[in-house]
Protein backbone atom coordinates (compact mmCIF):
# COMPACT_ATOMS: atom_id res chain seq x y z
CA UNK A 1 0.00 0.00 0.00
CA UNK A 2 2.78 2.50 0.87
CA UNK A 3 4.72 1.72 -2.31
CA UNK A 4 1.62 2.20 -4.39
CA UNK A 5 0.92 5.56 -2.70
CA UNK A 6 4.54 6.68 -3.19
CA UNK A 7 4.46 5.85 -6.89
CA UNK A 8 1.10 7.59 -7.17
CA UNK A 9 2.49 10.77 -5.61
CA UNK A 10 5.45 10.78 -8.01
CA UNK A 11 3.12 10.30 -10.97
CA UNK A 12 0.88 13.17 -9.87
CA UNK A 13 3.92 15.43 -9.44
CA UNK A 14 5.17 14.66 -12.94
CA UNK A 15 1.70 15.16 -14.38
CA UNK A 16 1.69 18.77 -13.16
CA UNK A 17 4.30 19.54 -15.77
CA UNK A 18 2.14 18.27 -18.67
CA UNK A 19 -0.48 20.00 -20.73
CA UNK A 20 -4.00 20.12 -19.26
CA UNK A 21 -5.40 18.03 -22.14
CA UNK A 22 -3.19 15.06 -21.19
CA UNK A 23 -3.33 15.43 -17.41
CA UNK A 24 -6.40 13.12 -17.02
CA UNK A 25 -4.77 10.31 -18.99
CA UNK A 26 -1.59 10.73 -17.01
CA UNK A 27 -3.38 10.45 -13.66
CA UNK A 28 -5.15 7.13 -14.44
CA UNK A 29 -2.11 4.91 -13.68
CA UNK A 30 -1.52 6.84 -10.44
CA UNK A 31 -5.06 6.22 -9.19
CA UNK A 32 -4.84 2.54 -10.21
CA UNK A 33 -1.53 2.08 -8.37
CA UNK A 34 -2.96 3.65 -5.22
CA UNK A 35 -5.76 1.06 -4.99
CA UNK A 36 -3.84 -2.10 -5.93
CA UNK A 37 -4.15 -4.63 -3.09
CA UNK A 38 -1.64 -7.27 -2.23
CA UNK A 39 -2.41 -10.55 -4.03
CA UNK A 40 -4.27 -13.07 -1.91
CA UNK A 41 -3.98 -16.80 -2.53
CA UNK A 42 -7.31 -18.51 -3.28
CA UNK A 43 -8.83 -20.31 -0.34
CA UNK A 44 -9.79 -23.93 -0.88
CA UNK A 45 -12.72 -25.16 1.16
CA UNK A 46 -11.67 -28.18 3.20
CA UNK A 47 -13.28 -29.94 6.08
CA UNK A 48 -11.72 -28.67 9.28
CA UNK A 49 -10.13 -31.21 11.65
CA UNK A 50 -12.94 -30.52 14.13
CA UNK A 51 -15.64 -31.33 11.56
CA UNK A 52 -13.83 -34.47 10.43
CA UNK A 53 -13.41 -35.64 14.04
CA UNK A 54 -17.10 -35.09 14.71
CA UNK A 55 -18.20 -37.01 11.61
CA UNK A 56 -15.85 -39.94 12.23
CA UNK A 57 -18.37 -41.23 14.78
CA UNK A 58 -21.29 -41.02 12.35
CA UNK A 59 -22.90 -44.05 10.77
CA UNK A 60 -21.45 -45.05 7.42
CA UNK A 61 -17.83 -44.28 8.38
CA UNK A 62 -16.53 -47.82 7.95
CA UNK A 63 -13.39 -49.54 6.70
CA UNK A 64 -11.58 -49.43 4.35
CA UNK A 65 -12.45 -45.84 3.31
CA UNK A 66 -13.33 -44.47 6.74
CA UNK A 67 -14.32 -40.81 6.52
CA UNK A 68 -14.41 -40.20 2.76
CA UNK A 69 -15.54 -36.78 1.57
CA UNK A 70 -13.87 -36.04 -1.80
CA UNK A 71 -16.14 -33.04 -2.52
CA UNK A 72 -15.60 -31.49 0.95
CA UNK A 73 -19.34 -31.33 1.55
CA UNK A 74 -18.75 -31.67 5.29
CA UNK A 75 -17.18 -28.20 5.29
CA UNK A 76 -20.33 -26.71 3.81
CA UNK A 77 -23.76 -26.42 5.31
CA UNK A 78 -25.29 -27.11 8.69
CA UNK A 79 -26.16 -30.22 10.71
CA UNK A 80 -29.59 -30.04 9.08
CA UNK A 81 -27.91 -30.22 5.66
CA UNK A 82 -25.96 -33.28 6.76
CA UNK A 83 -29.14 -35.01 7.95
CA UNK A 84 -30.91 -34.18 4.68
CA UNK A 85 -28.03 -35.63 2.66
CA UNK A 86 -27.95 -38.74 4.84
CA UNK A 87 -31.71 -39.28 4.41
CA UNK A 88 -31.30 -38.79 0.65
CA UNK A 89 -28.47 -41.33 0.59
CA UNK A 90 -30.58 -43.84 2.50
CA UNK A 91 -33.58 -43.38 0.21
CA UNK A 92 -31.46 -43.75 -2.91
CA UNK A 93 -29.80 -46.83 -1.45
CA UNK A 94 -33.12 -48.44 -0.54
CA UNK A 95 -34.57 -47.74 -3.98
CA UNK A 96 -31.40 -49.08 -5.60
CA UNK A 97 -31.58 -52.31 -3.57
CA UNK A 98 -35.20 -52.83 -4.65
CA UNK A 99 -34.33 -51.97 -8.25
CA UNK A 100 -31.37 -54.36 -8.32
CA UNK A 101 -33.54 -57.17 -6.91
CA UNK A 102 -36.35 -56.27 -9.28
CA UNK A 103 -33.97 -56.49 -12.22
CA UNK A 104 -32.92 -60.05 -11.30
CA UNK A 105 -36.19 -61.62 -10.12
CA UNK A 106 -38.02 -61.47 -13.51
CA UNK A 107 -35.20 -63.52 -15.00
CA UNK A 108 -36.29 -66.38 -12.72
CA UNK A 109 -39.93 -65.75 -11.87
CA UNK A 110 -42.92 -63.74 -13.10
CA UNK A 111 -46.31 -63.29 -11.51
CA UNK A 112 -49.17 -65.24 -13.08
CA UNK A 113 -52.20 -63.45 -14.45
CA UNK A 114 -52.75 -60.14 -16.18
CA UNK A 115 -50.90 -56.90 -15.71
CA UNK A 116 -53.64 -55.14 -17.69
CA UNK A 117 -56.80 -56.92 -18.80
CA UNK A 118 -57.76 -53.87 -20.84
CA UNK A 119 -54.72 -54.31 -23.07
CA UNK A 120 -54.77 -58.13 -22.74
CA UNK A 121 -51.28 -57.88 -21.28
CA UNK A 122 -49.98 -60.62 -18.98
CA UNK A 123 -46.99 -60.31 -16.66
CA UNK A 124 -45.18 -62.97 -18.66
CA UNK A 125 -45.58 -60.82 -21.79
CA UNK A 126 -43.59 -57.95 -20.28
CA UNK A 127 -39.91 -58.14 -21.29
CA UNK A 128 -37.18 -57.75 -18.71
CA UNK A 129 -35.05 -54.70 -18.15
CA UNK A 130 -35.31 -51.48 -20.10
CA UNK A 131 -37.49 -53.06 -22.78
CA UNK A 132 -40.37 -53.03 -20.28
CA UNK A 133 -40.52 -49.23 -20.45
CA UNK A 134 -42.35 -49.27 -23.78
CA UNK A 135 -44.64 -52.20 -22.92
CA UNK A 136 -46.10 -51.28 -19.53
CA UNK A 137 -49.17 -49.03 -20.08
CA UNK A 138 -48.93 -45.36 -19.17
CA UNK A 139 -51.54 -45.79 -16.42
CA UNK A 140 -49.24 -48.29 -14.74
CA UNK A 141 -46.34 -45.85 -14.69
CA UNK A 142 -48.69 -43.13 -13.40
CA UNK A 143 -49.68 -45.36 -10.47
CA UNK A 144 -46.01 -45.94 -9.62
CA UNK A 145 -45.27 -42.20 -9.68
CA UNK A 146 -48.33 -41.45 -7.52
CA UNK A 147 -47.33 -44.02 -4.88
CA UNK A 148 -43.76 -42.68 -4.75
CA UNK A 149 -45.07 -39.12 -4.41
CA UNK A 150 -47.41 -40.13 -1.60
CA UNK A 151 -44.56 -41.81 0.28
CA UNK A 152 -42.34 -38.73 -0.11
CA UNK A 153 -44.91 -36.28 1.26
CA UNK A 154 -46.43 -38.72 3.76
CA UNK A 155 -44.75 -41.54 5.72
CA UNK A 156 -41.24 -40.77 4.44
CA UNK A 157 -41.33 -37.01 4.90
CA UNK A 158 -39.55 -36.81 8.28
CA UNK A 159 -37.61 -39.21 10.50
CA UNK A 160 -39.43 -40.64 13.50
CA UNK A 161 -36.37 -40.60 15.80
CA UNK A 162 -32.93 -39.03 16.16
CA UNK A 163 -31.60 -41.51 13.59
CA UNK A 164 -31.77 -40.15 10.04
CA UNK A 165 -33.92 -42.31 7.79
CA UNK A 166 -35.86 -43.94 10.64
CA UNK A 167 -39.45 -43.87 9.38
CA UNK A 168 -40.84 -46.18 12.05
CA UNK A 169 -40.89 -49.42 10.06
CA UNK A 170 -38.54 -51.38 12.28
CA UNK A 171 -36.13 -54.15 11.27
CA UNK A 172 -38.37 -56.79 9.69
CA UNK A 173 -41.08 -55.71 12.09
CA UNK A 174 -39.00 -55.70 15.27
CA UNK A 175 -37.27 -52.98 17.24
CA UNK A 176 -33.56 -53.49 17.93
CA UNK A 177 -32.79 -52.64 21.55
CA UNK A 178 -29.06 -53.35 21.60
CA UNK A 179 -27.20 -50.16 20.49
CA UNK A 180 -24.24 -52.09 19.04
CA UNK A 181 -26.47 -54.40 17.02
CA UNK A 182 -28.51 -51.44 15.79
CA UNK A 183 -25.40 -49.53 14.69
CA UNK A 184 -24.13 -52.65 12.91
CA UNK A 185 -27.42 -53.16 11.07
CA UNK A 186 -27.60 -49.49 10.06
CA UNK A 187 -24.04 -49.58 8.70
CA UNK A 188 -24.90 -52.75 6.77
CA UNK A 189 -27.90 -50.98 5.23
CA UNK A 190 -25.81 -47.96 4.23
CA UNK A 191 -23.06 -50.05 2.66
CA UNK A 192 -25.50 -52.37 0.87
CA UNK A 193 -27.33 -49.34 -0.46
CA UNK A 194 -24.10 -47.80 -1.73
CA UNK A 195 -23.17 -51.06 -3.45
CA UNK A 196 -26.67 -51.37 -4.92
CA UNK A 197 -26.48 -47.88 -6.43
CA UNK A 198 -23.36 -48.94 -8.34
CA UNK A 199 -24.92 -52.32 -9.11
CA UNK A 200 -28.16 -51.02 -10.63
CA UNK A 201 -26.23 -48.52 -12.74
CA UNK A 202 -24.06 -51.38 -14.01
CA UNK A 203 -27.13 -53.45 -14.90
CA UNK A 204 -28.75 -50.51 -16.68
CA UNK A 205 -25.61 -49.74 -18.68
CA UNK A 206 -25.12 -53.39 -19.63
CA UNK A 207 -28.76 -53.68 -20.64
CA UNK A 208 -28.61 -50.47 -22.69
CA UNK A 209 -25.40 -51.42 -24.50
CA UNK A 210 -25.78 -55.19 -24.93
CA UNK A 211 -29.55 -55.49 -24.84
CA UNK A 212 -29.46 -58.08 -22.06
CA UNK A 213 -28.39 -58.58 -18.46
CA UNK A 214 -26.37 -61.67 -17.61
CA UNK A 215 -26.85 -62.76 -14.00
CA UNK A 216 -25.36 -66.25 -14.18
CA UNK A 217 -25.84 -69.66 -15.76
CA UNK A 218 -28.53 -70.57 -13.22
CA UNK A 219 -30.93 -68.15 -14.96
CA UNK A 220 -30.50 -69.72 -18.39
Amino acid sequence: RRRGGHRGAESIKSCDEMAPSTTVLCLLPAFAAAFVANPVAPVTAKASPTVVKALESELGVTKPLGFWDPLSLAAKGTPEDFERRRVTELKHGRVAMLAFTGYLVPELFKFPGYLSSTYDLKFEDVPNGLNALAVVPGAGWAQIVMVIGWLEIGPYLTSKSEVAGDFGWGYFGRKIADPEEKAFKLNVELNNGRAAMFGIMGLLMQDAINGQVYIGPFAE
Side-chain angles (χ1 to χ4, degrees):
R1 173 72 71 178
R2 291 181 177 178
R3 291 181 179 178
H6 181 66
R7 289 195 299 267
E10 291 181 349
S11 299
I12 294 173
K13 183 177 179 180
S14 60
C15 286
D16 292 340
E17 302 174 358
M18 295 184 178
S21 60
T22 59
T23 300
V24 175
L25 295 177
C26 178
L27 290 175
L28 288 178
F31 285 119
F35 289 98
V36 170
N38 293 329
V40 179
V43 178
T44 303
K46 294 183 179 179
S48 65
T50 303
V51 173
V52 173
K53 192 67 176 177
L55 294 178
E56 283 179 350
S57 60
E58 288 288 341
L59 292 170
V61 182
T62 57
K63 297 178 179 180
L65 294 178
F67 177 75
W68 192 63
D69 186 21
L71 300 180
S72 298
L73 294 177
K76 309 168 186 176
T78 62
E80 289 75 17
D81 293 328
F82 176 81
E83 182 178 1
R84 176 180 55 81
R85 291 165 182 156
R86 171 50 54 85
V87 171
T88 301
E89 179 187 23
L90 281 167
K91 288 182 178 180
H92 287 177
R94 291 165 180 173
V95 170
M97 286 188 280
L98 290 174
F100 189 89
T101 305
Y103 230 101
L104 303 185
V105 169
E107 299 285 343
L108 305 172
F109 168 80
K110 291 189 177 182
F111 290 107
Y114 284 87
L115 172 64
S116 174
S117 58
T118 304
Y119 293 95
D120 193 27
L121 180 66
K122 296 182 178 181
F123 284 103
E124 62 184 17
D125 298 329
V126 179
N128 299 335
L130 295 174
N131 292 324
L133 293 174
V135 177
V136 176
W141 294 118
Q143 293 174 33
I144 294 174
V145 172
M146 290 175 62
V147 171
I148 294 174
W150 171 74
L151 291 173
E152 284 293 320
I153 65 176
Y156 292 167
L157 182 60
T158 56
S159 299
K160 300 298 188 294
S161 70
E162 71 281 358
V163 179
D166 179 10
F167 300 114
W169 289 82
Y171 180 72
F172 292 101
R174 73 181 181 92
K175 296 290 185 179
I176 301 177
D178 184 18
E180 292 186 2
E181 181 186 1
K182 187 172 184 178
F184 174 78
K185 297 291 187 184
L186 292 173
N187 277 322
V188 168
E189 181 189 26
L190 277 168
N191 288 329
N192 287 349
R194 292 163 180 171
M197 284 188 274
F198 282 103
I200 188 59
M201 290 306 299
L203 290 177
L204 289 171
M205 291 301 296
Q206 183 177 347
D207 193 5
I209 295 174
N210 301 330
Q212 60 182 359
V213 176
Y214 179 77
I215 62 174
F218 58 87
E220 295 178 353

